[in-house]
Amino acid sequence: MSKEDTSSRSQNQDNAEQPDSPVETASRRPYRRRLNTKLLAILIAGVSGLVILGVGFGVGYFVAPHGGGAGGGRVSSGPAASSDSGPTIWTCSMHPQIKLPKPGKCPICFMDLIPLEHESSDELGPRQLRMSETAARLAEIETSLVKRQYVDNPVRMVGKVEFDETRVADITAWAPGRLDRLFVDYTGVTVRKGDHLVEMYSPELIVAQRELIEAMKSADRLGSFDRELAMSTRESAAEKLRLLGLLPKQIAEIKHRGQPTDQLTIYSPIGGVVIEKLANEGMYVKTGTTIYRIADLSTVWVFLEAYESDLPWLRYGQQVEFTTEAYPGETFHGRIAFIDPLLDDATRTVQVRVNVPNADGRLKPGMFVRAIVRSHIAAGGKVFDSSLAGKWISPMHPEIIKNGPGKCDICGMDLVPAEQLGYVISEKAPEMPLVIPATAPLITGKRAVVYVQLPDRKQPTFEGREVLLGPRAGDFYLVRQGLEQGDRVVTNGNFKIDSALQILAKPSMMNPTGGVAAAEHQHGGISMAPMDDRHAAHGAKDLAIPPGFQAKLKPVYESYLSAAAALADDQLTDTRRSFGALRQAVDRVDASVLQGSARKAWQSAVDQVNSAFAGDWQKADIKDLRKRFELISDAMLATIDAFGHAGDATLHRAFCPMAFGNKGAVWLQAGEKIANPYFGHKMLRCGEIQRDFPPVDMATANEPTKEAHHEH
């Protein structure tokens, strides 16, 4: 027996030796290669499902009474219908090709076998499936009513506290001179408005004081003669001192004293915190030299990073809730005051600014915050806020809200109606949207399929329907076409139904036309071609790719494979390091040599990789990194489909049907032995090899790809 065949049967979670099964002998691969094409395609389509529980699933009755309530339903554990004659064949939910006459363990994965019950499908439509109670209880089928309701879409963001730029003041020298004394000699000191900050000596100020004193003496000597001219001269001298930075009370003291002073005191024009000290005692300064910078922290700004997909839900003036590390369990509030009109091309995010009152000064610039905006969604995906009905808002300061037109108390600008800020506001409540739970649709990137439980059937029967979805709002999708209010859709177990339809060669999510089809996996909006597509398997067949471009991609593949290995080994530090190397490798690829479709294909992959690095990914835990890795994997598979690779060994596309709550996920790996990056050591060998990608070699580009094999 070869070393390869021995390793392919090893189990990750059981150290004990397992007996060789009939389907896992050394002759397994030659036997599989002798299978006829039709049977092989059926088996491939079967194992591509997340969890396949058999052809003849049956469903039980729901805990809630039929037709009652608007909530979800779940099959009960009641007895099977008396008409059932009992199962005669037992199969494996993960390996439907296993069919045995009695219960036991699967010889491949050692899971408990389940009954495979045969039912006539003569009366069923092409997209319909009837289920028995026994298998449906194992499938844990759950349903929910399609209904109209307002939904809240929580938009989560992260960001930092910063200074309010409108409340930062520079203390400067209004005249040249020497700084004789600095009363505030380090940063961080809190000062009040009117506190003395600096004493300075300035010859120019002394001259200006003498001019004022002489003007006053001249006015006294002239008496009533040309008094108007004398008074004008005195006022001009006083105005010159004011322009040099003296306060009215200082000018009054000079008039009262009748003598110039050698020292000028500079007072703080605002209260706040000294955030910068830019001069020292004894320094000679010029006019305009900055001595201090002071920030008023009674109001602060919070800058948040919003993903571009969340922009439809954000509006000027919306309430924002956020928390900080310093005050766990305490929630702060503010309003959106600015949404950046430009998108950051590197992070694929938009900066959102929130004005936050901070009278007690607890919020410090630089603090990290986690924020949430709860957008209320009406029909058509429109945002509404009933609390702003009939209100007028300042276009510069969203905290200023009044019941009618007027002026902003802060900036004096005219208030505007809330409707002008993008809200749906009317006297009566807006129309409710038609919604379904987010777990109901199976989305391939091009299509969305839901399974509807047909009413008035003796046994639960389900029908697949293609629907047109609107945007996702929290735990719901808005529905535009394909469903009606009152329909009951499957919210749990829908992929199992879809997989059963695939085995029956009926239309399904994976195969919309029905018939025998190879397994196709579409994930995250990027389509993966069928396994018998030789051109896609070898890559670089339909695009004009300049010579040597595949070699430029080698560092990208190497960094990606390193990240996959680190995740499979549950190594957080190594994963972060590999993520960083991958991002740098992608940025260094010179795509200027690409043209047309090739350039679009590469840019699409780059955009998806960049989306995986949104936010503070360097501090993400391994669970979050696995979610980001899923996005990167979709992009990498699209890249290898389009361009191939110039590595030294064959790469393999693997698929795990149980990843992310049975949603399924794909990845690339270097060896044939499954190393699952989505589960790590918990389920290291869960998955199957779906396709091989040999290195780009035009001399062998038309050789057939390797047959898919499965490990679990």
Side-chain angles (χ1 to χ4, degrees):
M1 182 179 295
S2 67
K3 180 179 180 181
E4 175 184 343
D5 289 333
T6 302
S7 62
S8 66
R9 293 198 309 273
S10 63
Q11 303 301 317
N12 179 58
Q13 299 176 336
D14 190 351
N15 294 327
E17 289 292 324
Q18 302 290 352
D20 290 342
S21 65
V23 296
E24 288 293 316
T25 60
S27 62
R28 178 187 175 193
R29 291 186 179 274
Y31 172 73
R32 291 179 59 197
R33 298 183 189 279
R34 290 195 298 268
L35 291 174
N36 62 73
T37 304
K38 181 176 180 179
L39 178 57
L40 177 60
I42 293 175
L43 293 180
I44 294 173
V47 298
S48 69
L50 293 180
V51 178
I52 302 175
L53 297 180
V55 177
F57 282 150
V59 100
Y61 49 87
F62 294 103
V63 174
H66 289 292
R74 188 185 184 104
V75 294
S76 76
S77 58
S82 59
S83 60
D84 292 342
S85 59
T88 58
I89 298 177
W90 294 77
T91 186
C92 175
S93 60
M94 286 298 296
H95 304 89
Q97 70 269 30
I98 301 301
K99 297 178 181 179
L100 299 175
K102 59 182 180 180
K105 300 287 187 180
C106 173
I108 299 177
C109 64
F110 300 99
M111 293 177 63
D112 290 334
L113 298 179
I114 61 172
L116 176 63
E117 301 180 1
H118 299 279
E119 295 189 36
S120 173
S121 59
D122 295 340
E123 300 176 359
L124 298 179
R127 291 179 174 268
Q128 295 178 355
L129 181 72
R130 182 166 53 234
M131 292 186 166
S132 69
E133 294 181 359
T134 303
R137 285 196 298 272
L138 295 172
E140 298 181 333
I141 302 297
E142 296 180 6
T143 63
S144 179
L145 284 177
V146 179
K147 52 188 175 181
R148 289 190 178 274
Q149 68 176 50
Y150 296 124
V151 291
D152 288 346
N153 184 34
V155 179
R156 302 184 185 277
M157 297 172 283
V158 296
K160 292 175 67 177
V161 178
E162 299 290 352
F163 302 110
D164 182 343
E165 294 177 3
T166 66
R167 296 174 180 265
V168 176
D170 285 343
I171 308 302
T172 62
W174 289 28
R178 183 183 68 239
L179 304 180
D180 287 343
R181 184 174 181 185
L182 299 181
F183 294 100
V184 176
D185 33 15
Y186 59 90
T187 59
V189 175
T190 300
V191 298
R192 295 170 298 178
K193 183 177 181 179
D195 282 355
H196 57 287
L197 301 177
V198 179
E199 279 188 357
M200 68 177 295
Y201 167 78
S202 173
E204 185 174 328
L205 282 172
I206 295 175
V207 171
Q209 291 177 71
R210 291 188 181 279
E211 290 177 358
L212 174 61
I213 294 171
E214 291 299 325
M216 293 173 59
K217 291 179 179 179
S218 297
D220 293 339
R221 287 195 304 267
L222 292 175
S224 60
F225 177 77
D226 207 359
R227 188 176 182 83
E228 183 177 347
L229 176 61
M231 293 297 294
S232 176
T233 302
R234 187 175 69 177
E235 293 302 321
S236 296
E239 179 65 13
K240 182 177 181 180
L241 286 173
R242 188 187 67 81
L243 294 176
L244 289 174
L246 271 69
L247 300 177
K249 67 176 184 178
Q250 292 175 296
I251 297 175
E253 289 176 359
I254 294 171
K255 291 179 179 180
H256 177 74
R257 188 169 54 247
Q259 292 291 332
T261 178
D262 293 341
Q263 299 292 329
L264 168 68
T265 302
I266 300 177
Y267 296 92
S268 175
I270 65 171
V273 176
V274 176
I275 59 176
E276 285 188 80
K277 174 176 171 286
L278 303 170
N280 297 311
E281 288 187 1
M283 178 185 292
Y284 280 87
V285 295
K286 299 179 181 178
T287 301
T289 300
T290 302
I291 304 173
Y292 297 109
R293 182 162 291 132
I294 298 176
D296 179 3
L297 299 182
S298 61
T299 298
V300 293
W301 287 352
V302 173
F303 286 99
L304 304 172
E305 299 292 331
Y307 295 127
E308 56 182 313
S309 59
D310 290 330
L311 291 181
W313 314 119
L314 300 178
R315 297 289 186 275
Y316 175 90
Q318 275 180 314
Q319 282 276 5
V320 180
E321 302 174 1
F322 65 90
T323 59
T324 66
E325 299 290 337
Y327 309 106
E330 185 171 356
T331 302
F332 298 86
H333 300 270
R335 286 188 178 270
I336 294 178
F338 181 73
I339 301 176
D340 199 321
L342 302 179
L343 179 77
D344 189 324
D345 189 56
T347 63
R348 311 305 300 173
T349 59
V350 170
Q351 196 170 72
V352 176
R353 194 190 82 218
V354 181
N355 288 3
V356 182
N358 186 38
D360 54 9
R362 291 194 300 164
L363 295 176
K364 313 294 184 184
M367 279 185 172
F368 180 78
V369 304
R370 293 181 176 86
I372 183 171
V373 175
R374 304 183 190 277
S375 298
H376 307 294
I377 312 301
K382 298 179 180 178
V383 179
F384 74 96
D385 188 345
S386 57
S387 67
L388 293 178
K391 302 295 184 180
W392 293 68
I393 304 179
S394 168
M396 287 293 293
H397 300 90
E399 61 270 24
I400 304 300
I401 302 175
K402 296 185 178 182
N403 293 325
K407 300 287 186 180
C408 175
D409 298 336
I410 300 176
C411 63
M413 295 184 65
D414 291 334
L415 304 181
V416 299
E419 290 87 342
Q420 294 186 13
L421 304 176
Y423 292 100
V424 175
I425 300 175
S426 60
E427 294 296 331
K428 61 179 182 179
E431 181 185 358
M432 294 183 178
L434 188 69
V435 299
I436 58 175
T439 56
L442 301 176
I443 301 175
T444 67
K446 297 179 180 179
R447 301 180 304 116
V449 176
V450 298
Y451 285 95
V452 179
Q453 183 180 1
L454 300 179
D456 304 325
R457 299 296 176 100
K458 292 182 179 180
Q459 290 182 303
T461 305
F462 301 92
E463 179 181 64
R465 294 184 191 173
E466 289 193 18
V467 295
L468 180 60
L469 297 178
R472 177 169 178 169
D475 295 330
F476 297 90
Y477 273 105
L478 277 63
V479 180
R480 292 178 177 170
Q481 293 180 12
L483 293 172
E484 299 291 338
Q485 185 175 357
D487 287 341
R488 186 173 286 276
V489 295
V490 177
T491 56
N492 185 64
N494 43 8
F495 206 105
K496 301 168 187 176
I497 297 174
D498 189 86
S499 300
L501 288 173
Q502 290 180 56
I503 297 178
L504 292 172
K506 289 187 174 185
S508 63
M509 177 193 70
M510 296 294 190
N511 186 18
T513 59
V516 178
E520 177 184 358
H521 180 63
Q522 290 184 327
H523 200 65
I526 298 179
S527 176
M528 307 306 172
M531 278 180 282
D532 58 356
D533 186 343
R534 300 176 184 178
H535 292 183
H538 289 270
K541 276 292 182 179
D542 301 321
L543 302 179
I545 303 174
F549 182 75
Q550 286 93 344
K552 297 179 180 180
L553 299 180
K554 288 185 67 175
V556 177
Y557 288 118
E558 290 171 356
S559 301
Y560 168 82
L561 294 173
S562 177
L567 286 171
D569 199 27
D570 297 327
Q571 297 297 318
L572 177 59
T573 302
D574 292 345
T575 300
R576 289 173 176 169
R577 186 182 301 112
S578 298
F579 266 50
L582 173 62
R583 190 173 192 182
Q584 292 180 6
V586 171
D587 291 341
R588 290 171 182 165
V589 174
D590 180 12
S592 61
V593 297
L594 300 177
Q595 301 293 329
S597 299
R599 183 154 193 162
K600 290 180 180 178
W602 171 248
Q603 188 58 49
S604 175
V606 170
D607 290 343
Q608 179 134 349
V609 170
N610 286 336
S611 69
F613 288 93
D616 197 2
W617 65 269
Q618 296 94 335
K619 296 182 180 179
D621 58 19
I622 199 162
K623 182 178 180 181
D624 185 21
L625 291 176
R626 284 183 167 127
K627 293 179 180 178
R628 296 170 184 267
F629 182 76
E630 180 191 17
L631 295 175
I632 297 173
S633 294
D634 290 338
M636 294 301 300
L637 283 161
T639 299
I640 202 168
D641 273 343
F643 301 100
H645 73 99
D648 299 327
T650 296
L651 300 182
H652 311 277
R653 185 180 86 185
F655 171 64
C656 172
M658 301 180 70
F660 303 112
N662 290 338
K663 184 181 72 172
V666 291
W667 73 93
L668 275 176
Q669 64 177 47
E672 292 191 25
K673 188 174 183 179
I674 291 293
N676 193 316
Y678 300 112
F679 283 111
H681 289 181
K682 183 178 179 181
M683 294 178 65
L684 186 62
R685 304 302 177 205
C686 179
E688 62 174 348
I689 299 297
Q690 290 189 324
R691 192 191 308 173
D692 297 340
F693 294 94
V696 172
D697 184 353
M698 300 311 296
T700 60
N702 291 324
E703 289 184 1
T705 59
K706 192 174 183 179
E707 295 172 325
H709 67 272
H710 179 270
E711 293 185 53
H712 187 79

